[in-house]
C-alpha cells in the first residue's frame, strides 16, 4: 500500500506521508510558490516528475531520483515550426499556436519499455520520450490527423490531451482522452490512430451532432489494470463505460447526486469498482448542496453509493479537478484534493475519509508515489 | 560591449547574472548570453525563438518592437534588460 502522496498545487508540490499512527501529514514541499500543474511517480524506477507552469517563463518539467530531496530540470515537449504560411484557425476562429501551453498528462510506458514516457499537452499534441523525459518527440500521426483540427478545447482556450492509458497487455496500445476531441486509440505504438468514442453523447451540441465521436468531451478516462477492455470516463455531461476496449461506450445515467464531475478512479483489481467526485453541472461547478461526496459503484455502474463519512456536509465549495483523484495499487487507499485546498485520504475504499488539510493552495493533481 | 541584465525573478530558476556580450541585434546579444547561461533560453524565448508572451526586453529604455525575430538594433554600449511584462494588478 502507498504511504506517500504527491500533491501538485498552484503554489508548490506538497509531499504527504503516512505516519506510523496512520495519519497523513504534510512532510515537505518542493517548488514553493511555483505553479505545479501535474506530478507523476514512475512505478518502474521510483522517479518523480513535476510539471510546472511559470507563466512568464513558460512550462518546465523537473524530475527527482531521490524522492524529492533534489530535482533536475529536464526537457519539455517542443512543438515544431508550423509549415511555411500555415495559420491554423480553429472552429472558434482562434489561431492555434504550435507552442507548448501546458503539460496536461504524463504517464510511464510499461516495465518492458524502460525510459518511455507519454505526455499529453495543450494545445493538443501528444509526445513521447524514450530517455526518461530528457527529450521529447511529437506524435505527428495524431497531430497531423485532419480530425485533430476539429478539436475544440473545453474550459481551456485550446484542446488538450488530459488522459493517457497504456494497455498493460500491450504497450503499443494506447488510449488518450481529449477535451472536446473524443477518445483516441492506437494499436501500433502511435503510427496510426482512430477515434473511439462511439456511444458517447454530448448534450451541449445540437441533436444531429450529439453523438459525433470527435466532439465528445471526456473530462477524464481511466483504464482497468485488471481488465483493460474496460475503461471508465467522466464526461462533461455524464459517466460512460466501455467493456470492449473503446469500441462502444455506454452511458450510465441517474447517478445521484450528479453525473457531472471531472475525476474518476478505477479499482486496480476489480474493473467493476469505480469512484467519482460529483458536482453541480457545468454552469456552477460546486458540490451539490454544498456537501462534498464521493460516489462509488461496485457493480459496473448498475448502482452507486454516496460516500460522505469524514467529508464536509455543508457550505463546502470544493471542486475536484480531473487529475486530483488517485487510487493506490492496493485499491483501498484513495486521495483527492480540491480547488479550495482541501485534501482527503481514505484507507478503506472511501467508507471513511481523513482530512489531511483544508489550507493547501488550489490542488491540480494528486498521485500516490509508492 | 552591450550589457545584458536578466530580471531578478529569473535568478531563482536559472543563475544568469549581468553579462557583457558581442552583438548588433537583440537576437545576437541574447544568443550570446544563452551561450553563457544555457538554461535561461527556454525561460526567455519559446520553442521557436520568439520572446515569450509575457516577457519584455528593453534596449536603452525602449521596449523592443520585433518580439518574433528579435531584430531590434543594439549599440556598442547598449543596456539590455530582460524583464517580466506586468499588466495591471
Amino acid at each position: 500500500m502507498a504511504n506517500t502522496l504527491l500533491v501538485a498545487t498552484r503554489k508548490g508540490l506538497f509531499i504527504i506521508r503516512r505516519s506510523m499512527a496512520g495519519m497523513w501529514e504534510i512532510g515537505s514541499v518542493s517548488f514553493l510558490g511555483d505553479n505545479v500543474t501535474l506530478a507523476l511517480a514512475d512505478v518502474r524506477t521510483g522517479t518523480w516528475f513535476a510539471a510546472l507552469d511559470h507563466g512568464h517563463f513558460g512550462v518546465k518539467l523537473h524530475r527527482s531520483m531521490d524522492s524529492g530531496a533534489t530535482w533536475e530540470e529536464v526537457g519539455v515537449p517542443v512543438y515544431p515550426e508550423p509549415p511555411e504560411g500555415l495559420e491554423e484557425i480553429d472552429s472558434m476562429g482562434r489561431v492555434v499556436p504550435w507552442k507548448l501551453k501546458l503539460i496536461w498528462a504524463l504517464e510511464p510506458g510499461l516495465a518492458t519499455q524502460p525510459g518511455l514516457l507519454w505526455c499529453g499537452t495543450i494545445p493538443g499534441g501528444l509526445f513521447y520520450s524514450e530517455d526518461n523525459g530528457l527529450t521529447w518527440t511529437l506524435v505527428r500521426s495524431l497531430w497531423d490527423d485532419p480530425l485533430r483540427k476539429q478539436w475544440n478545447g473545453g474550459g481551456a482556450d485550446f484542446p488538450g490531451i488530459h488522459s493517457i492509458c497504456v494497455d498493460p497487455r500491450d504497450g503499443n496500445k494506447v488510449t488518450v482522452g481529449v477535451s472536446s476531441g473524443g477518445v483516441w486509440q492506437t494499436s501500433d505504438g502511435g503510427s496510426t490512430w482512430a477515434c473511439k468514442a462511439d456511444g458517447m453523447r454530448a448534450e451541449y451540441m445540437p441533436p444531429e451532432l450529439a453523438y459525433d465521436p470527435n466532439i465528445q468531451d471526456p473530462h477524464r478516462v481511466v483504464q482497468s489494470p485488471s481488465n483493460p477492455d474496460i475503461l471508465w470516463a467522466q464526461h462533461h455531461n455524464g459517466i460512460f463505460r466501455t467493456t470492449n476496449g473503446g469500441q462502444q461506450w455506454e452511458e450510465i445515467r441517474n447517478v445521484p447526486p450528479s453525473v457531472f464531475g471531472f475525476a474518476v478512479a478505477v479499482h486496480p483489481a476489480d474493473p467493476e469498482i469505480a469512484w467519482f467526485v460529483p458536482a453541480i453541472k457545468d454552469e456552477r461547478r460546486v458540490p451539490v448542496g454544498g456537501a462534498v461526496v464521493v460516489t462509488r459503484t461496485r457493480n459496473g455502474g448498475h448502482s452507486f453509493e454516496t460516500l460522505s463519512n469524514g467529508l464536509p456536509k455543508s457550505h463546502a465549495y470544493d471542486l475536484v479537478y480531473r487529475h486530483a483523484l488517485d487510487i493506490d495499487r492496493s485499491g483501498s487507499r484513495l486521495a483527492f484534493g480540491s480547488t479550495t485546498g482541501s485534501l482527503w485520504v481514505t484507507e478503506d475504499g472511501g467508507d471513511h475519509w481523513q482530512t489531511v488539510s483544508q489550507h493547501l493552495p488550489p490542488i491540480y493533481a494528486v498521485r500516490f508515489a509508492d | 560591449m552591450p550589457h545584458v541584465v536578466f530580471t531578478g525573478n529569473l535568478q531563482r530558476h536559472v543563475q544568469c547574472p549581468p553579462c557583457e556580450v558581442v552583438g548588433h541585434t537583440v537576437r545576437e546579444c541574447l544568443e550570446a548570453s544563452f551561450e553563457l547561461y544555457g538554461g535561461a533560453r527556454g525561460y526567455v524565448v519559446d520553442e521557436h525563438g520568439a520572446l515569450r508572451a509575457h516577457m519584455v526586453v528593453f534596449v536603452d529604455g525602449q521596449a523592443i518592437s520585433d518580439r518574433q525575430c528579435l531584430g531590434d538594433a543594439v549599440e556598442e554600449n547598449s543596456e539590455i534588460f530582460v524583464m517580466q511584462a506586468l499588466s495591471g494588478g
Side-chain angles (χ1 to χ4, degrees), chain A residues 31-34 52 54-60 62 73 77-82 98-101, chain B residues 7 9-10 12-14 39 42-44 46-55 68 84-86:
Chain A
F31 310 107
L32 182 62
D34 293 330
L52 279 66
H54 285 303
H56 294 83
F57 300 135
V59 172
K60 311 298 174 198
H62 295 251
E73 187 176 335
V78 174
Y79 279 81
E81 289 268 15
W98 286 39
K99 294 181 179 181
L100 179 63
K101 297 296 182 185
Chain B
T7 171
N9 290 330
L10 184 51
R12 190 161 66 85
H13 307 293
V14 182
Y43 286 75
V44 177
D46 66 24
E47 54 263 70
H48 305 320
L51 193 62
R52 287 199 172 279
H54 302 293
M55 295 294 286
Q68 203 67 33
Q84 293 155 290
L86 295 183

Side-chain angles (χ1 to χ4, degrees), chain A residues 27-152:
Chain A
S28 60
V29 57
S30 298
F31 310 107
L32 182 62
D34 293 330
N35 185 12
V36 184
T37 57
L38 199 61
L40 167 68
D42 188 340
V43 295
R44 300 170 303 178
T45 60
T47 304
W48 292 1
F49 292 87
L52 279 66
D53 180 5
H54 285 303
H56 294 83
F57 300 135
V59 172
K60 311 298 174 198
L61 184 64
H62 295 251
R63 72 180 181 189
S64 174
M65 312 287 201
D66 53 13
S67 301
T70 60
W71 293 86
E72 62 170 328
E73 187 176 335
V74 291
V76 291
V78 174
Y79 279 81
E81 289 268 15
E84 185 74 25
L86 173 71
E87 190 173 63
E88 188 180 321
I89 308 294
D90 72 6
S91 62
M92 305 292 285
R94 298 169 297 207
V95 176
V96 177
W98 286 39
K99 294 181 179 181
L100 179 63
K101 297 296 182 185
L102 191 70
I103 289 175
W104 215 20
L106 197 57
E107 298 293 345
L110 302 183
T112 53
Q113 302 170 305
L116 179 66
L117 296 169
W118 293 93
C119 182
T121 69
I122 293 176
L126 178 69
F127 293 80
Y128 67 91
S129 169
E130 295 180 304
D131 53 14
N132 251 333
L134 289 175
T135 59
W136 296 89
T137 302
L138 175 65
V139 178
R140 285 302 297 241
S141 51
L142 186 56
W143 181 250
D144 291 336
D145 193 301
L147 286 175
R148 192 271 304 165
K149 296 176 182 174
Q150 297 176 12
W151 297 352
N152 263 327

Side-chain angles (χ1 to χ4, degrees), chain A residues 75-328:
Chain A
V76 291
V78 174
Y79 279 81
E81 289 268 15
E84 185 74 25
L86 173 71
E87 190 173 63
E88 188 180 321
I89 308 294
D90 72 6
S91 62
M92 305 292 285
R94 298 169 297 207
V95 176
V96 177
W98 286 39
K99 294 181 179 181
L100 179 63
K101 297 296 182 185
L102 191 70
I103 289 175
W104 215 20
L106 197 57
E107 298 293 345
L110 302 183
T112 53
Q113 302 170 305
L116 179 66
L117 296 169
W118 293 93
C119 182
T121 69
I122 293 176
L126 178 69
F127 293 80
Y128 67 91
S129 169
E130 295 180 304
D131 53 14
N132 251 333
L134 289 175
T135 59
W136 296 89
T137 302
L138 175 65
V139 178
R140 285 302 297 241
S141 51
L142 186 56
W143 181 250
D144 291 336
D145 193 301
L147 286 175
R148 192 271 304 165
K149 296 176 182 174
Q150 297 176 12
W151 297 352
N152 263 327
D157 283 343
F158 298 103
I161 294 173
H162 49 64
S163 300
I164 300 171
C165 307
V166 181
D167 192 316
R169 300 166 300 192
D170 177 1
N172 288 320
K173 189 170 182 180
V174 179
T175 304
V176 301
V178 186
S179 61
S180 298
V183 177
W184 286 73
Q185 199 169 75
T186 179
S187 296
D188 53 19
S191 297
T192 59
W193 293 84
C195 188
K196 297 284 187 181
D198 285 344
M200 286 188 170
R201 178 182 65 90
E203 69 179 19
Y204 46 85
M205 295 297 283
E208 63 274 19
L209 295 175
Y211 289 93
D212 180 347
N214 201 41
I215 55 89
Q216 299 302 321
D217 185 20
H219 284 173
R220 179 78 169 139
V221 180
V222 295
Q223 185 170 32
S224 163
S226 58
N227 182 350
D229 285 335
I230 295 181
L231 294 95
W232 291 85
Q234 172 64 71
H235 179 285
H236 188 91
N237 54 257
I239 293 171
F240 293 84
R241 189 174 91 124
T242 175
T243 57
N244 53 17
Q247 298 299 319
Q248 186 69 31
W249 293 81
E250 296 166 12
E251 184 168 7
I252 297 170
R253 299 172 185 258
N254 303 317
V255 181
S258 167
V259 293
F260 178 85
F262 289 95
V264 51
V266 60
H267 194 286
D270 187 339
E272 306 296 308
I273 304 177
W275 293 259
F276 300 82
V277 188
I280 297 175
K281 71 182 185 71
D282 50 345
E283 67 272 24
R284 287 196 174 154
R285 304 185 180 206
V286 294
V288 178
V292 175
V293 300
V294 173
T295 54
R296 178 180 63 195
T297 178
R298 294 176 179 273
N299 51 21
H302 292 294
S303 64
F304 283 79
E305 305 160 84
T306 302
L307 311 172
S308 62
N309 197 334
L311 300 174
K313 303 283 190 292
S314 64
H315 285 293
Y317 302 100
D318 301 76
L319 184 65
V320 177
Y321 282 158
R322 71 197 77 223
H323 302 118
L325 167 68
D326 197 24
I327 186 166
D328 82 341

